[in-house]
Amino acid sequence: MACSCSSVFSPNLSTIFSSKATKLSPSYQPTNLFFFNAIQPNSIKREFPIAPSVAAPFPYQQSPINVDYLEEEFSGHGVTFEDVGGTCVATMTLENGSTATLMLPRGLITSYKAPMWHGGSVELLHTVVSEGEDGGAVVQGGVSMEFSCLSDGGVLWSPCDWSLWDVRGNPQESIQVELISRDTEDMIEIKNIVNLQESCLSSELVVSNLKSSPLQLTGCVISHLTVSTPEATYAVGLEGSDFFNRSPLSSDFLIIPPDIPQENMFSISQLWSQLRFLSGTGTASERKGDELEGRLVESEEEMEGEESDNYKQLTEQMSRIYTSAPTYLTVIDRGRRNSIIAGRSGFDEVYMFSPGSSHEFYSKYSYICIGPSAMLKPIILKPGEVWRGGQHLQNPNL
């Protein structure tokens, strides 16, 4: 499989992409031990329609998005739209040089270029484009939303495809691109508001439960931050934070090194089986033969701990959820001589993944993942309730 990294992409894509803490209660107990990624198409009522054929897996597929209409409808806000192989690419540009690029209908943010103190701009996200089995382009990395909603009766739904709902703001101050996704019954609505400011890129989730029963929201925001090498990268501010070690999330967008076996990752089918097992609704064979349960019941010493290093070097391969991390964490890359501040709102957990430093510098695996999480303890929405949460990537290098 041919693969290119960061700003080196296939010809028809090269013009578009570049590649004090408050502790929670000591009794914090995870209620869901599994990572997942649901692959399921959804229907959207709001224009601008996305073809229902656009579903996982992710290789580019044709989508009837009228790019010319979007350009005319949302002109003057600092956003441009371009059709690339049937995928709509929206680029947000501020006058100070900050830019962000996202793809529709998948809602993947592929680029965040931020101005630096020296006058130039630097790509802060890590995105790769490789060739799929069918010869098409497969995009991974960037910032993705990995969430699933579990409603009464065990019905599981995930927002995989997004429609453009609105564009606001101006290129002088800030630009907001609002995406929306609904389940097939129009009873669960999730909005993703991407906000580009002069020194920050944020993604705000607004989840509305229109059902007459409670809703469980589980998952995380995954941001691939590009680095010279994890060995030269440090996470500052984690000292004293409780954590749980977990295997990596199974996701279309997560870049996983080849030395991590696929069977050590967790998919939606395994989560579904485990949720049924825990609720007692699974079949006898499911409850008796749950191999996933067996793999994950490790000793408490191996699974849990407290971070002892306030200046944590990310050299070793790790996949970890912090349950009492500070609201804002600083990630420093001594190789590229820059830093980024990752913040969260509405979430109690932080997910962090490092592929380790056994790979080449400035290569496909020169990144670390970080993002707000609700994977151990789902967020519960009462009937009619609206929940808000988000991630903030701040550029302190101006």
Side-chain angles (χ1 to χ4, degrees):
M1 175 183 294
C3 177
S4 54
C5 306
S6 297
S7 61
V8 186
F9 296 101
S10 55
N12 55 334
L13 295 173
S14 60
T15 60
I16 304 301
F17 307 129
S18 307
S19 175
K20 192 165 179 182
T22 299
K23 297 275 284 186
L24 297 179
S25 169
S27 61
Y28 187 100
Q29 293 295 326
T31 56
N32 175 16
L33 303 181
F34 304 92
F35 302 108
F36 59 89
N37 176 52
I39 306 302
Q40 176 178 336
N42 59 302
S43 64
I44 304 297
K45 281 193 169 183
R46 168 77 174 183
E47 299 294 340
F48 320 96
I50 304 299
S53 61
V54 180
F58 181 58
Y60 282 93
Q61 302 183 42
Q62 294 297 321
S63 305
I65 300 178
N66 191 330
V67 173
D68 293 334
Y69 174 78
L70 297 183
E71 282 280 358
E72 181 179 352
E73 179 72 14
F74 297 113
S75 63
H77 294 286
V79 182
T80 60
F81 300 89
E82 183 175 355
D83 186 297
V84 180
T87 293
C88 179
V89 177
T91 302
M92 310 160 67
T93 305
L94 294 180
E95 290 184 353
N96 80 325
S98 296
T99 65
T101 302
L102 60 92
M103 300 173 59
L104 295 173
R106 297 312 296 267
L108 179 70
I109 301 176
T110 59
S111 174
Y112 173 34
K113 289 184 178 179
M116 296 289 146
W117 57 271
H118 49 65
S121 61
V122 171
E123 178 61 66
L124 299 180
L125 298 182
H126 191 76
T127 306
V128 300
V129 178
S130 58
E131 184 178 345
E133 295 180 357
D134 62 351
V138 177
V139 182
Q140 294 177 299
V143 179
S144 61
M145 302 291 154
E146 307 291 343
F147 290 95
S148 282
C149 299
L150 183 67
S151 56
D152 192 34
V155 179
L156 198 66
W157 171 78
S158 295
C160 294
D161 292 337
W162 301 83
S163 286
L164 179 63
W165 186 256
D166 197 9
V167 176
R168 300 182 294 272
N170 59 75
Q172 292 78 37
E173 299 175 345
S174 65
I175 304 169
Q176 299 84 44
V177 172
E178 187 171 342
L179 310 179
I180 190 170
S181 185
R182 293 193 182 104
D183 70 331
T184 55
E185 298 178 348
D186 287 343
M187 299 302 289
I188 305 173
E189 177 184 281
I190 301 182
K191 289 184 178 181
N192 177 14
I193 305 171
V194 181
N195 186 6
L196 178 64
Q197 299 174 292
E198 289 188 345
S199 60
C200 182
L201 176 68
S202 63
S203 298
E204 181 186 14
L205 286 177
V206 182
V207 184
S208 300
N209 179 19
L210 306 179
K211 292 177 173 288
S212 59
S213 59
L215 183 71
Q216 295 187 52
L217 177 69
T218 313
C220 67
V221 181
I222 296 184
S223 295
H224 291 71
L225 305 181
T226 189
V227 299
S228 56
T229 172
E231 186 175 4
T233 306
Y234 299 79
V236 183
L238 286 172
E239 185 178 11
S241 300
D242 299 322
F243 65 79
F244 287 79
N245 289 317
R246 291 292 181 267
S247 295
L249 167 69
S250 177
S251 164
D252 281 354
F253 299 121
L254 186 61
I255 305 170
I256 296 296
D259 55 343
I260 297 181
Q262 186 65 35
E263 57 268 21
N264 287 356
M265 300 173 64
F266 298 96
S267 66
I268 189 62
S269 60
Q270 293 168 320
L271 172 69
W272 170 255
S273 173
Q274 183 63 14
L275 288 175
R276 285 170 58 85
F277 177 85
L278 294 175
S279 64
T281 61
T283 64
S285 59
E286 284 177 329
R287 282 176 276 163
K288 182 179 179 180
D290 193 348
E291 296 180 0
L292 182 60
E293 170 76 3
R295 288 206 306 270
L296 287 182
V297 179
E298 304 172 6
S299 71
E300 291 295 309
E301 293 181 358
E302 293 177 348
M303 295 177 64
E304 302 178 41
E306 179 179 308
E307 189 60 64
S308 59
D309 195 348
N310 194 54
Y311 197 70
K312 182 174 179 58
Q313 190 174 14
L314 302 177
T315 303
E316 301 299 325
Q317 188 177 100
M318 62 171 282
S319 179
R320 182 173 289 180
I321 300 175
Y322 289 91
T323 59
S324 55
T327 302
Y328 290 91
L329 291 172
T330 300
V331 178
I332 298 176
D333 179 7
R334 298 178 65 180
R336 301 172 82 232
R337 302 180 67 181
N338 69 350
S339 62
I340 189 168
I341 299 174
R344 72 186 190 278
S345 59
F347 292 90
D348 291 332
E349 307 163 2
V350 172
Y351 176 58
M352 186 174 293
F353 172 79
S354 171
S357 298
S358 61
H359 312 282
E360 293 184 14
F361 289 14
Y362 300 98
S363 69
K364 177 179 180 179
Y365 304 111
S366 297
Y367 70 92
I368 64 105
C369 287
I370 191 171
S373 161
M375 291 191 284
L376 298 178
K377 202 170 189 177
I379 295 167
I380 309 298
L381 282 76
K382 299 176 182 178
E385 186 176 0
V386 177
W387 174 87
R388 294 175 179 268
Q391 172 184 259
H392 318 284
L393 299 178
Q394 295 185 1
N395 169 32
N397 304 292
L398 288 174

